[in-house]
Amino acid sequence: MINHFCKYPLWEVSRRLAAVAGGSQPADLVIVHANLINVCTKEIQEDISVAVAAGRIALVGDASHCIGENTQVIDAKGQYLAPGFLDGHIHVESSMMSAGEYARAVIPHGTTGIYMDPHEICNVLGLEGVRCMLDDAARTPLKAMMTTPSCVPAVPGFEDTGSHIGPKDVAETMNWDTCVGLGEMMNFPGILSSNEETHAITGNTLKAGKIVTGHYSLPETGRGLNAYIASGVRCCHESTRAEDALAKMRLGMYAMFREGSAWHDLKEVAKSITDHPVDTRFAVLISDDTHPHTLMAQGHLDHIVRRAVAEGIDALTAIQMVTINCAQCFQMDQDLGSIAPGKCADMVLLDNLTDLNVTRVFIDGDLAAANGALTGEYPAYTYPEWATRSIHIRDAITPETFRIPANTEHIAPDKTVTVRAIEVIPARVGDYERHVALPVRDGFLESDTSQDVLKTAVFERHHATGKKGFGFVKGFGIRCGAMASTVAHDAHNLLVIGSNDEDMALAANTLISCGGGMCAVQNGKVLGLVPLPIAGLMSDKPLPEMADTVAALEESWKEIGCTMPSPFMTMALIPLACLPELRLTDRGLVDCNRFCFVDVEV
């Protein structure tokens, strides 16, 4: 695969690199006396120097002969030099920041490259929205490698999105310089059933010689997983059990161990390599989704490496999992993922292998961050007006909008009706279908906080069709109030949850008026609000401001009774119909085991 993310392609600078390594030309930069973390051989080499020219590594070893009059020399004595960290699967939109602000946030933590799947903005604004994100990211040093959104919508026929991506669209994007593969193929039912359009999407990627990334969330590791991998899918980040990750690695699939703000899978999936004497070359650490307060308080991939070490993975292996393993997954290890001659000079200095504190970050041989701060400023980027006006609701939303009539034939003698409820699981992507008896008042179904059951609704917000779906959700612990969000994977329609119709209407209208975002409401008062005007998903505010705003929203969630980690991310998955067991879209309740619509009432 041709890498368009280095300062210069290797063939343009090979003569210079050879001359610098041989000593006939001076290096641009030499780092001396480092403890090199050699991810090629999984060892630490002491007192090693690295010479850099034209953004690439010319020599690793004794570089004294590479130092000229104008060579910059950095003494790294006592520190550890590692390749720049790579995030193999990330949705930048889930940081709630624009791509440029996201880059500012993660580079100081050692992240030099990301493989981003912009299917959130694509579901809202299509490929033109994706181009905006790429233009935004391009003004920064961060290597933002795109995987084309594969499932827009995520599960065709079960939801309404702002756009549609088909095989021809995928084929077109494979010619973009920024494109390195296909985003997570969530439509595993289409793959397993040999659906023609689904296989045309993956086929056009494979035809271009690029990587198909996966999303296989079934707890099945036999014929289905084999069929999925056989179709050309190279990696998957949806393992939640050790046996899932182990099975994938044994079948030659890269198992991506996820540790995001909301999804804490690492504790379990780490056991696939800590409890088994297997080679770890097919194991990769990824974030998937990282929120501003996590980036501010804990970091990005540096934090995930620390978490891996805490779960029993040795530091060198963990660093391989965010460097060379990731680069090899995307077949880009000829340029990225290791500190070796000819590779891009993307490097990170760490002060120790326990805390893994990042002291300096180099991208293409240039110092990009030092001691937690960026070293340069970037040009401004403004999203076009059409990208900030994406909320289109046909009908006025009032408290009466949320009334759910009960079927009189189903009312029990105790004036209850048994309904299907979505029970969420804290810090997990799955959910359970539960059957709950709910009270009927004046002919309408109501929330029941004594059973921790709340009414929920999804409104189509892209084309003003007036479509809306209703259901019930369990597990948030809300005693009184409502929450609303236009971050509602993957169609990102308007999602509202609440204990009473009045607060639900206020929450919905609050987001409509500010162009999208997330909010929490109680007793007619807005307690917390995160405006996200870019596609209803992102803000152009800097990290500290976003971290404070999101933290305030989390406090408002606690105020109304919810104590789970990152509850708004758990809430945001309620409409995602490619995850088991029960989901709610703007078209209604979806049984995600059988992939069919079901009634609210049992």
Side-chain angles (χ1 to χ4, degrees):
M1 181 184 296
I2 296 175
N3 182 359
H4 298 278
F5 298 94
C6 295
K7 184 180 288 187
Y8 300 104
L10 183 56
W11 63 81
E12 283 189 12
V13 296
S14 60
R15 292 179 63 200
R16 171 106 194 270
L17 295 175
V20 170
S24 61
Q25 290 186 25
D28 299 329
L29 166 71
V30 173
I31 298 175
V32 299
H33 305 310
N35 295 316
L36 176 66
I37 298 175
N38 193 323
V39 295
C40 300
T41 53
K42 193 185 169 186
E43 62 177 328
I44 296 174
Q45 295 175 269
E46 297 180 354
D47 196 17
I48 294 294
S49 297
V50 175
V52 175
R56 289 181 178 264
I57 296 166
L59 178 143
V60 178
D62 179 0
S64 56
H65 62 287
C66 304
I67 298 174
E69 183 178 348
N70 296 316
T71 301
Q72 180 187 9
V73 178
I74 294 177
D75 190 345
K77 187 174 183 179
Q79 298 198 61
Y80 295 84
L81 184 64
F85 299 158
L86 302 170
D87 193 336
H89 180 71
I90 173 67
H91 305 291
V92 170
E93 304 97 315
S94 292
S95 73
M96 291 170 270
M97 296 184 292
S98 65
E101 291 303 320
Y102 175 84
R104 290 176 184 272
V106 301
I107 290 172
H109 291 284
T111 302
T112 58
I114 60 171
Y115 293 87
M116 70 174 192
D117 181 351
H119 71 204
E120 320 297 357
I121 197 169
C122 193
N123 268 279
V124 180
L125 301 177
L127 290 177
E128 287 306 304
V130 173
R131 285 188 183 275
C132 289
M133 279 192 71
L134 293 171
D135 290 343
D136 186 11
R139 64 194 174 99
T140 78
L142 182 69
K143 297 182 177 181
M145 282 117 4
M146 183 197 75
T147 58
T148 300
S150 65
C151 296
V152 179
V155 185
F158 289 90
E159 61 187 350
D160 291 278
T161 61
S163 181
H164 176 270
I165 299 297
K168 289 184 179 179
D169 303 302
V170 170
E172 174 200 335
T173 63
M174 290 300 138
N175 296 315
W176 295 7
D177 287 350
T178 48
C179 179
V180 300
L182 188 70
E184 55 178 306
M185 176 44 73
M186 294 179 288
N187 188 9
F188 56 83
I191 293 291
L192 300 188
S193 65
S194 295
N195 175 267
E196 184 176 355
E197 180 173 9
T198 308
H199 279 267
I201 287 173
T202 57
N204 284 343
T205 307
L206 297 171
K207 194 184 302 181
K210 298 188 178 183
I211 302 305
V212 178
T213 68
H215 172 118
Y216 190 79
S217 57
L218 292 178
E220 187 273 347
T221 57
R223 65 177 68 182
L225 179 59
N226 274 267
Y228 192 65
I229 297 172
S231 73
V233 182
R234 188 168 173 85
C235 58
C236 177
H237 62 279
E238 285 295 333
S239 300
T240 58
R241 308 175 304 168
E243 54 264 43
D244 299 332
L246 184 61
K248 289 166 186 173
M249 290 187 288
R250 283 173 169 167
L251 294 173
M253 171 180 266
Y254 283 84
M256 293 178 160
F257 296 17
R258 175 172 51 196
E259 188 73 3
S261 294
W263 323 128
H264 303 162
D265 297 325
L266 186 56
K267 185 177 181 64
E268 289 301 318
V269 295
K271 296 172 184 175
S272 64
I273 57 178
T274 58
D275 291 355
H276 301 272
V278 296
D279 194 306
T280 58
R281 74 182 69 187
F282 284 102
V284 178
L285 293 172
I286 60 103
S287 65
D288 196 2
D289 302 293
T290 306
H291 297 145
H293 55 296
T294 303
L295 293 171
M296 196 80 178
Q298 298 173 314
H300 183 218
L301 289 171
D302 54 339
H303 162 62
I304 297 175
V305 170
R306 285 190 287 269
R307 282 285 301 113
V309 172
E311 294 301 336
I313 300 173
D314 69 89
L316 295 189
T317 297
I319 290 172
Q320 286 179 314
M321 292 168 71
V322 292
T323 57
I324 193 168
N325 291 11
C326 183
Q328 289 177 338
C329 173
F330 286 91
Q331 296 181 342
M332 296 178 72
D333 54 304
Q334 76 277 14
D335 290 311
L336 305 179
S338 61
I339 296 177
K343 305 297 190 284
C344 294
D346 301 338
M347 302 176 290
V348 175
L349 278 171
L350 308 166
D351 62 3
N352 65 78
L353 290 184
T354 303
D355 300 322
L356 297 157
N357 297 315
V358 176
T359 61
R360 285 189 180 98
V361 182
F362 301 87
I363 300 179
D364 290 331
D366 297 325
L367 184 65
N371 299 316
L374 292 171
T375 56
E377 286 299 319
Y378 316 132
Y381 178 83
T382 301
Y383 281 80
E385 184 177 357
W386 54 264
T388 61
R389 297 183 179 276
S390 64
I391 310 297
H392 308 289
I393 304 290
R394 190 187 72 182
D395 304 314
I397 294 179
T398 67
E400 289 70 28
T401 302
F402 295 95
R403 292 185 176 177
I404 305 176
N407 187 328
T408 55
E409 295 179 0
H410 297 166
I411 298 177
D414 61 353
K415 295 184 178 181
T416 64
V417 167
T418 300
V419 302
R420 293 177 170 88
I422 300 166
E423 182 174 359
V424 297
I425 309 170
R428 293 288 185 271
V429 297
D431 68 21
Y432 302 116
E433 177 181 329
R434 302 301 191 199
H435 295 175
V436 183
L438 289 185
V440 178
R441 298 191 185 96
D442 300 323
F444 295 98
L445 295 169
E446 300 293 346
S447 300
D448 186 353
T449 56
S450 69
Q451 298 185 76
D452 191 17
V453 177
L454 304 175
K455 191 181 297 184
T456 183
V458 178
F459 299 87
E460 192 279 326
R461 64 106 162 174
H462 305 292
H463 306 293
T465 63
K467 292 181 182 178
K468 51 187 178 288
F470 292 99
F472 292 89
V473 66
K474 179 178 176 64
F476 282 103
I478 304 299
R479 297 183 296 274
C480 176
M483 305 82 69
S485 179
T486 53
V487 179
H489 300 287
D490 276 332
H492 299 292
N493 287 306
L494 174 60
L495 169 64
V496 189
I497 296 173
S499 65
N500 65 86
D501 299 342
E502 291 73 20
D503 280 347
M504 292 178 77
L506 175 58
N509 287 312
T510 298
L511 294 190
I512 293 171
S513 65
C514 74
M518 300 180 294
C519 71
V521 169
Q522 187 179 61
N523 295 327
K525 180 182 178 182
V526 177
L527 302 182
L529 171 63
V530 180
L532 301 173
I534 302 171
L537 302 172
M538 297 176 289
S539 168
D540 60 1
K541 303 298 183 185
L543 174 62
E545 184 174 341
M546 286 302 297
D548 289 344
T549 306
V550 174
L553 178 66
E554 282 209 325
E555 288 303 312
S556 68
W557 276 75
K558 293 177 184 177
E559 189 173 338
I560 62 177
C562 183
T563 58
M564 70 170 60
S566 296
F568 39 84
M569 257 324 280
T570 303
M571 172 182 168
L573 291 190
I574 286 171
L576 188 49
C578 62
L579 291 175
E581 295 180 349
L582 186 67
R583 303 285 164 172
L584 176 68
T585 75
D586 65 305
R587 297 190 183 189
L589 273 178
V590 182
D591 181 325
C592 300
N593 291 320
R594 297 182 295 144
F595 286 96
C596 62
F597 288 104
V598 292
D599 294 331
V600 174
E601 298 180 13
V602 178

